[in-house]
Amino acid sequence: MFTPKRFGAYLLIFTLCFFSSCNSNNITTDASLQKYFDQYHVTGTFGLFNNGQAQFTVYNLRRFTDSAYLPASTFKIVNSLVGLQTGVISTEKMVIPWDGVVRDNADWNKDLTMEEAFKLSAVPYYQEVARRIGIDTMQRWLDSLGYAAKYGRAVIHNDIDMFWLNNDIKITADEQLGLVKKLYFDQLPFQKRVQYVVKKVMQQEENANYKLSYKTGWGYRENGNSIGWIVGWEEENRHPYFFVLQIEGPHDMDMKTARLSILKNILTQYGFFKGQK
């Protein structure tokens, strides 16, 4: 029977396998991961794509393929790519001076380079980048990428410095996975130098066993619930494994702790971080 769940799985297969050979037999659902979400009293989804074997493992498949949410600061990936490509950002060392507005996050209250702003997820820095890019140019790049277009064209209205935060555009977890997979392999329509810089600033951890690269996101749905993301890849022995974690919980939850803990618990369960993949 052709059910909505099966249709979502087919869409996911197409997204993941555009550059490789795989089929529905390569998708495994893993309900055992629910315990990590329950630990923090959140709902959500997780997907892991083993690129070498074209094997996809997912918790909550329907949410992964069929539910779209604001990208929040995961949009800094695209904002960085467009900024570098257009010259709005010269290099990852480019400084944008602090605007003098004191914000709750003290790390943002200073001059920042692009690299620092990316790792600190500094909203004001990237709001200024978006303003310098402008609505028309940013929209052309969103259209070119097909960004957040699964349920219709993602349109920027008048809020060039807020559209990724205010629920104007929404993206699915499988779209996020497709984006980072293409970025890793330099398959996005940007110069290789541009993609290299963004991949470099995404790297968060590196040691003899593994490299862990990701971008986080945190925003709020229209109903006030917190939405959190971590999108990226883990690399061992030069083999990449792409992942997307998306969680939803109460407005005042400790999102920073919950999302990273859930991600690392899941990856640990799957045997990562040992250099044996």
Side-chain angles (χ1 to χ4, degrees):
M1 181 180 293
F2 193 73
T3 64
K5 182 176 181 180
R6 184 168 296 177
F7 179 65
Y10 289 153
L11 286 176
L12 179 62
I13 293 164
F14 178 80
T15 300
L16 296 174
C17 302
F18 188 77
F19 297 101
S20 59
S21 176
C22 63
N23 54 60
S24 59
N25 293 328
N26 293 59
I27 293 181
T28 301
T29 58
D30 188 353
S32 76
L33 302 185
Q34 182 174 341
K35 59 183 176 289
Y36 300 121
F37 295 82
D38 290 347
Q39 179 183 355
Y40 288 94
H41 309 288
V42 297
T43 57
T45 185
F46 175 81
L48 177 73
F49 185 65
N50 177 340
N51 190 74
Q53 299 179 2
Q55 178 67 45
F56 181 69
T57 304
V58 62
Y59 165 73
N60 199 344
L61 177 61
R62 179 167 293 183
R63 188 179 181 104
F64 198 91
T65 59
D66 298 344
S67 298
Y69 303 91
L70 78 164
S73 283
T74 65
F75 187 74
K76 288 182 174 67
I77 296 172
V78 174
N79 210 350
S80 297
L81 289 165
V82 177
L84 287 161
Q85 181 79 21
T86 59
V88 166
I89 302 173
S90 55
T91 73
E92 70 273 23
K93 302 301 182 183
M94 190 190 89
V95 174
I96 292 181
W98 178 40
D99 60 10
V101 177
V102 177
R103 297 175 173 87
D104 290 340
N105 191 328
D107 290 334
W108 298 355
N109 299 330
K110 59 183 178 181
D111 298 350
L112 294 171
T113 65
M114 174 225 160
E115 182 177 29
E116 291 169 335
F118 193 95
K119 292 188 181 298
L120 292 170
S121 209
V123 173
Y125 185 102
Y126 276 92
Q127 287 181 311
E128 179 59 24
V129 169
R131 287 191 287 266
R132 294 182 187 184
I133 292 170
I135 290 178
D136 292 343
T137 300
M138 185 72 83
Q139 186 67 64
R140 284 196 298 271
W141 279 106
L142 293 188
D143 293 343
S144 177
L145 289 167
Y147 184 81
K150 186 169 183 176
Y151 295 112
R153 178 173 176 246
V155 178
I156 304 168
H157 298 292
N158 296 318
D159 297 325
I160 183 59
D161 56 3
M162 284 294 293
F163 67 89
W164 64 91
L165 297 168
N166 64 7
N167 291 285
D168 268 3
I169 65 171
K170 296 183 179 182
I171 191 167
T172 61
D174 63 325
E175 287 179 306
Q176 295 266 40
L177 191 62
L179 177 72
V180 294
K181 180 175 179 286
K182 289 180 180 180
L183 172 62
Y184 181 89
F185 290 112
D186 297 328
Q187 293 167 341
L188 294 174
F190 299 97
Q191 297 170 5
K192 286 191 175 182
R193 175 192 67 86
V194 167
Q195 295 179 80
Y196 170 78
V197 170
V198 175
K199 285 185 285 188
K200 183 169 68 171
V201 299
M202 283 182 68
Q203 185 170 295
Q204 304 287 347
E205 298 179 21
E206 179 180 12
N207 57 44
N209 291 330
Y210 67 89
K211 296 178 183 178
L212 184 63
S213 302
Y214 60 81
K215 183 68 195 78
T216 58
W218 182 7
Y220 301 98
R221 294 186 67 182
E222 294 92 338
N223 64 6
N225 284 357
S226 286
I227 293 292
W229 295 97
I230 305 185
V231 304
W233 56 85
E234 203 267 11
E235 188 175 356
E236 297 189 19
N237 301 308
R238 297 185 179 181
H239 296 141
Y241 301 80
F242 303 97
F243 59 79
V244 173
L245 171 72
Q246 188 271 314
I247 66 174
E248 178 175 350
H251 185 89
D252 58 352
M253 67 171 290
D254 183 359
M255 179 62 73
K256 289 183 178 180
T257 299
R259 64 190 174 191
L260 191 57
S261 175
I262 292 171
L263 173 68
K264 290 200 168 183
N265 284 338
I266 292 173
L267 293 179
T268 299
Q269 175 173 317
Y270 286 152
F272 288 94
F273 306 131
K274 298 177 182 179
Q276 299 174 355
K277 289 291 186 178

